[in-house]
Amino acid sequence: MRIDSHQHFWIFDPIRDSWIDESMAVIQRNFLPDDLTPLLKENSFDGCVAVQADQTEKQNEFLLDLASKESFIKGIVGWVDLQHPNIEEKLSIYLKETLMKGFRHVLQGEAQRDFMLKPDFLKGIGLLEKYGFTYDILILPDQLKFSEKLIEKFPNQKFVVDHIAKPTIKNQKIGDWKKDLLSIAQHENVYCKVSGMVTEADWSNWKQNDFIPYLDVVFEAFGTHRLMFGSDWPVCNVAGGYQKSLAIVKEYTKQLSIQEQDQFFGEVATSFYNLKSS
């Protein structure tokens, strides 16, 4: 299957979704399955993984409801309070939802940069493997070193770094990000989503060449057997949209074999999230 491993749905709420400020006015509206379907069809994708955009269990219910009606939503990455005293009970409940594949926390927004190393958070992460859930690591480059400490504690947990850890492409900063990403990639249980790059570039003036140094790093670090494509739709609309975001990686991966391209554009995501074709 060809899979878009990272996109979002929401019914826009200006208070809840305050992170979507006036600079992102183009996405200050509802985005639902009918908006995404033509984009997936046009680009020959069989399905997608819907990722939480709000840290509530109500968001999980919203995404599960959409997925129950739309067969192209192959899996969901939701949110759950990993520090909750009854986290194991919550995970056992979500285990019954076959489309709930994993969870993530918006670590990038935490004032405490090593939030992922809090004892109660670690306790929650430690239960994910037991219930077969994946974990998406949403961080900024300064948190890579803390995330590696997290990963070292759970060598059998399936982790995936979202948005290549958001390097500052706009300013062409690469040094520390590259060093820390190469280090984290040495852990074979860690994967990476090639997603969210355009929003880290100059939204109006980016060029294909801006991304090549970063793509060189991630493909060297993880190889196609641990990389997956994600559009980050509709957030990508602030910096060019779905087609332009996809075109960046389509052009870059022309140098790869057909087998490697198949891995990157679907096989890795299908395996990582244990997605079913129907």
Side-chain angles (χ1 to χ4, degrees), residues 122-187:
L122 291 173
K123 180 181 177 182
I125 291 287
L127 290 167
L128 296 181
E129 182 192 350
K130 176 180 177 179
Y131 289 92
F133 289 117
T134 61
Y135 187 74
D136 273 52
I137 303 175
L138 177 60
I139 52 171
L140 294 175
D142 68 301
Q143 295 172 298
L144 275 165
K145 55 185 177 292
F146 302 126
S147 297
E148 185 169 14
K149 292 180 180 179
L150 165 70
I151 289 158
E152 287 171 345
K153 296 178 184 295
F154 305 104
N156 298 313
Q157 171 62 41
K158 291 166 72 173
F159 292 103
V160 60
V161 177
D162 288 351
H163 311 325
I164 68 171
K166 295 195 165 187
T168 312
I169 298 172
K170 182 177 181 179
N171 297 326
Q172 294 294 293
K173 290 185 177 180
I174 199 166
D176 288 342
W177 167 83
K178 176 179 179 179
K179 175 175 63 70
D180 292 338
L181 194 76
L182 288 171
S183 182
I184 213 170
Q186 293 179 29
H187 303 272

Side-chain angles (χ1 to χ4, degrees), residues 42 100 132 260:
E42 185 176 348
M100 184 63 76
E260 290 170 326

Side-chain angles (χ1 to χ4, degrees), residues 172-217:
Q172 294 294 293
K173 290 185 177 180
I174 199 166
D176 288 342
W177 167 83
K178 176 179 179 179
K179 175 175 63 70
D180 292 338
L181 194 76
L182 288 171
S183 182
I184 213 170
Q186 293 179 29
H187 303 272
E188 287 291 326
N189 59 320
V190 183
Y191 293 64
C192 185
K193 289 184 181 180
V194 180
S195 58
M197 294 191 301
V198 292
T199 50
E200 303 309 314
D202 183 331
W203 292 1
S204 302
N205 301 297
W206 60 258
K207 306 176 190 66
Q208 176 77 19
N209 286 344
D210 294 341
F211 304 101
I212 291 176
Y214 301 91
L215 289 167
D216 285 345
V217 170

Side-chain angles (χ1 to χ4, degrees), residues 8-28:
H8 308 283
F9 296 115
W10 62 66
I11 295 175
F12 182 67
D13 181 321
I15 297 175
R16 182 197 65 198
D17 303 322
S18 59
W19 62 275
I20 306 175
D21 60 25
E22 289 305 313
S23 71
M24 307 170 84
V26 69
I27 59 171
Q28 288 181 330

